[in-house]
């Protein structure tokens, strides 16, 4: 398959919508990372996502919709979910909600679960595609499963861990401004739980709810997207919380550290570090040496950064 690169203009949006309606998979920018989209109502189309990514079939997919009304058509939102949707949508928050009977979603999207992860993206290109297509789009990150997530169209087409030749098209919408995946919140035993840290700090979600989130550990069989323990992984071995490099290591710094080959943020800015995380991991991986990463604070967006780094360093 030849993968088309489409412009983020009306013609490119219309072509993407045509391909999606024909059951093809199309990569598109969101404010978090590039997603690999397919019609969430078409099982064969969604299977193309799994095939292109080599994604484990037990890992469910996030469904992207145009607005909260479209979310209500496929999922059941209680008062707390409605409150979070009102505050954070459109934006990088995914809510794992009970699946609405008769939602029309293909079973492969939820991996057999009775819940679905739903998000309303804020990126104008994603919104334009949703409007032109007129339905829900399943859209995990547009990379081979377990590999570093893409924040540019070039990453999607990267011959090492990318999807060139496996998908119909990618819309080039420039770099993603947030740079890490969405925060995922679900409900367990009636209590809101943080299932995956991401682009919205957990503290902001807690402020909107007026109470703390339960903190969920990773599961052997995921009940939401992003729950695999080994994920976002470079090829090289990764060592975390390093004060200095060992001989033969590529050292990724954060803040003022000596001897860094690359840095997430020389000034210790967590927002910059989140936006640069996957780019820096890719650059470090290309050097072909083990990677050591300096300690990153575990507050705000640092929680999401450290979550990605732990998964990247997990045994595999």
């Amino acid at each position: 398959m030849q993968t088309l690169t489409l412009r983020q203009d009306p013609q490119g949006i219309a072509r993407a919508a045509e391909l999606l309606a024909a059951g093809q998979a199309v990569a598109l920018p969101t404010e978090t990372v590039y997603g690999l989209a397919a019609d969430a109502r078409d099982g064969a189309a969604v299977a193309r996502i799994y095939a292109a990514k080599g994604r484990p079939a037990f890992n469910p997919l996030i469904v992207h919709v145009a607005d909260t009304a479209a979310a209500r058509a496929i999922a059941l939102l209680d008062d707390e979910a409605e409150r979070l949707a009102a505050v954070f949508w459109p934006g990088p928050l995914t809510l794992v909600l009970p699946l609405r009977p008769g939602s029309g979603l293909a079973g492969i999207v939820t991996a057999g679960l009775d819940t679905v992860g739903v998000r309303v993206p804020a990126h104008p290109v994603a919104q334009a595609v949703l409007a032109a297509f007129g339905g829900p789009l399943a859209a995990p990150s547009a990379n081979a499963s377990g590999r570093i997530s893409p924040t540019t169209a070039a990453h999607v087409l990267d011959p090492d861990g990318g999807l060139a030749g496996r998908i119909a098209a990618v819309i080039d919408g420039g770099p993603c401004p947030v740079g890490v995946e969405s925060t995922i919140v679900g409900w367990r035993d009636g209590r809101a739980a943080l299932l995956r840290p991401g682009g919205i700090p957990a503290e902001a979600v807690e402020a909107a709810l007026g109470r703390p989130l339960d903190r969920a550990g990773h599961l052997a069989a995921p009940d939401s997207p992003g729950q695999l323990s080994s994920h976002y992984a470079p090829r090289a071995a990764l060592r975390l919380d390093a004060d200095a490099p060992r001989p033969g290591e590529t050292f990724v710094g954060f803040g003022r550290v000596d001897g860094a080959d690359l840095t997430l943020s020389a000034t210790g800015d967590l927002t910059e570090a989140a936006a640069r995380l996957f780019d820096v991991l890719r650059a470090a991986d290309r050097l072909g040496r083990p990677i050591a990463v300096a300690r990153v604070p575990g507050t705000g967006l640092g929680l999401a950064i450290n979550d990605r780094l732990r998964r990247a360093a997990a045994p595999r």
Side-chain angles (χ1 to χ4, degrees):
M1 178 184 298
Q2 180 181 359
T3 300
L4 304 175
T5 299
L6 304 175
R7 296 175 182 265
Q8 56 174 331
D9 57 16
Q11 292 76 21
I13 300 299
R15 180 59 176 146
E18 290 174 358
L19 290 168
L20 290 165
Q24 296 298 321
V26 175
L28 51 80
T30 77
E31 67 276 23
T32 57
V33 299
Y34 273 68
L36 181 56
D39 186 348
R41 303 161 299 189
D42 181 343
V46 176
R48 292 191 175 94
I49 293 176
Y50 284 90
K53 288 175 62 68
R55 187 182 180 99
F58 53 81
N59 200 6
L61 305 179
I62 293 173
V63 176
H64 293 64
V65 294
D67 51 32
T68 304
R72 295 189 193 108
I74 62 172
L76 303 173
L77 283 71
D78 65 10
D79 290 344
E80 285 194 330
E82 290 281 358
R83 189 184 317 164
L84 294 181
V87 174
F88 297 112
W89 281 354
L93 177 69
T94 294
L95 300 179
V96 178
L97 302 165
L99 190 63
R100 178 177 290 280
S103 68
L105 296 184
I108 192 173
V109 171
T110 61
L113 302 174
D114 58 4
T115 56
V116 60
V118 186
R119 179 163 106 78
V120 178
H123 198 287
V125 173
Q127 278 288 331
V129 172
L130 283 163
F133 176 65
L137 293 172
S141 57
N143 57 288
S145 187
R147 303 289 291 147
I148 300 169
S149 296
T151 54
T152 68
H155 292 166
V156 176
L157 300 174
D158 190 334
D160 183 14
L163 301 178
R166 302 188 195 180
I167 62 175
V170 57
I171 305 175
D172 190 348
C176 299
V178 175
V180 294
E181 288 87 347
S182 60
T183 300
I184 300 181
V185 172
W187 280 260
R188 291 177 173 172
D189 299 323
R191 291 188 57 82
L194 180 67
L195 303 183
R196 181 181 75 183
I200 293 176
E203 296 89 340
V205 178
E206 291 172 332
L209 288 174
R211 63 182 179 87
L213 291 165
D214 287 350
R215 303 298 171 116
H218 301 308
L219 306 175
D223 66 350
S224 81
Q227 293 278 299
L228 290 176
S229 60
S230 176
H231 207 24
Y232 319 105
R235 296 188 186 278
L238 196 70
R239 183 169 66 89
L240 305 182
D241 297 332
D243 295 319
R246 295 170 181 166
E249 285 184 330
T250 295
F251 186 34
V252 176
F254 177 83
R256 294 183 178 179
V257 296
D258 294 328
D261 300 290
L262 302 163
T263 183
L264 295 172
S265 171
T267 61
D269 184 320
L270 288 171
T271 300
E272 180 186 17
R276 286 175 50 80
L277 175 61
F278 294 121
D279 281 339
V280 170
L281 285 179
R282 285 176 179 275
D285 206 23
R286 283 196 293 268
L287 296 177
R289 304 191 299 263
I291 303 167
V293 182
R295 185 174 291 105
V296 177
T299 58
L301 286 178
L303 191 64
I305 294 166
N306 281 302
D307 174 79
R308 301 301 184 275
L309 288 172
R310 282 192 298 271
R311 295 184 196 221
R316 55 188 185 275

